[in-house]
Amino acid sequence: MKLYLTPGSCTTGIHILMEELDLVFEAHLVNLMAGDQNTSDYLAVNPKATIPTLVRNDSTALTEFQAIAYWLARSYPKAKLLPGDPDGDARAIELMDYVVGTVHGQGFARIFTTDRFAVNEADFEAVRAQGIDVVTRGFAVINDSLPPEGYVMGSFSIADAALFYVEFWAYKTGITLPENCLKHYRLMLERPVVRRVLMEEGYRLD
């Protein structure tokens, strides 16, 4: 398989899941700042020009964080990356979608790619402030849904990989994580695979 990723991006969550499953795959770096996602070669693989993209053993490409995470969980059921019951699976997907669609898509996107949300540079600070507000409120909502100790669903799941990457962004950008989210972030950092993935992607652990 081939995983198209950008170090330190949302693809870190998928990278973690694939390493947790001990899968053999090729990592293809996509330099978003250089515009790799808009090259003809990449568009031939993923015409959405987005990350992550997973090209599977049958040569078909799967895109979108939630879809890839769900496919991995269902394809390798022995790893128990989903709870396995309808309500538990739905809750895991519910949190994952909120992380990706709201905290990332509406919050951090305004912080990291401000120019996509404002035409005039004079409006950039207001847009960033709006992004920080979305992120802060999002973490508050998530915090209230998390157990005071442990993983999102009681044991490690695809929801944890999604939550971790936005917690990592918050930590790196100086956004304070509420208590349960901070405990979750620290718990994830205790996983050997998480630490290895971050080091592979060029991050020093402090």
Side-chain angles (χ1 to χ4, degrees):
M1 291 190 285
K2 300 176 183 178
L3 175 63
Y4 291 81
L5 59 85
T6 299
S9 73
C10 61
T11 60
T12 298
I14 299 298
H15 190 180
I16 288 169
L17 292 175
M18 294 188 71
E19 293 277 6
E20 288 279 359
L21 290 168
D22 199 25
L23 299 178
V24 177
F25 64 96
E26 297 176 11
H28 291 254
L29 299 184
V30 180
N31 187 332
L32 298 177
M33 297 299 292
D36 288 356
Q37 71 276 20
N38 296 314
T39 63
S40 58
D41 286 347
Y42 189 68
L43 290 173
V45 177
N46 179 0
K48 298 175 183 177
T50 58
I51 54 170
T53 301
L54 179 64
V55 177
R56 297 169 290 182
N57 290 329
D58 64 358
S59 298
T60 60
L62 192 60
T63 65
E64 308 298 336
F65 186 102
Q66 302 95 309
I68 295 171
Y70 179 78
W71 180 82
L72 288 170
R74 291 299 302 272
S75 297
Y76 303 92
K78 290 183 179 180
K80 298 182 179 179
L81 292 177
L82 279 171
D85 63 279
D87 187 69
D89 289 359
R91 291 297 182 187
I93 293 170
E94 178 184 35
L95 185 138
M96 186 169 59
D97 282 355
Y98 185 63
V99 164
V100 177
T102 300
V103 179
H104 173 177
Q106 297 300 320
F108 278 112
R110 283 178 164 80
I111 298 170
F112 295 151
T113 56
T114 311
D115 58 324
R116 294 183 181 180
F117 294 86
V119 176
N120 299 315
E121 192 171 345
D123 298 325
F124 281 9
E125 284 305 312
V127 170
R128 290 191 188 100
Q130 185 181 36
I132 292 171
D133 182 62
V134 171
V135 168
T136 302
R137 288 188 288 109
F139 277 126
V141 170
I142 293 169
N143 189 74
D144 290 343
S145 72
L146 292 178
E149 303 288 346
Y151 297 106
V152 174
M153 302 305 302
S155 59
F156 179 76
S157 72
I158 57 176
D160 296 291
L163 179 55
F164 174 76
Y165 86 75
V166 290
E167 291 171 336
F168 179 70
W169 287 353
Y171 182 79
K172 288 296 183 181
T173 55
I175 295 175
T176 301
L177 289 169
E179 183 178 7
N180 291 339
C181 290
L182 181 58
K183 287 180 180 178
H184 178 267
Y185 175 66
R186 289 172 174 166
L187 177 64
M188 287 290 291
L189 286 178
E190 293 176 3
R191 295 185 73 85
V193 163
V194 172
R195 298 180 68 83
R196 185 171 73 242
V197 164
L198 290 178
M199 288 189 288
E200 287 174 356
E201 295 192 3
Y203 289 93
R204 294 181 59 185
L205 302 178
D206 47 24

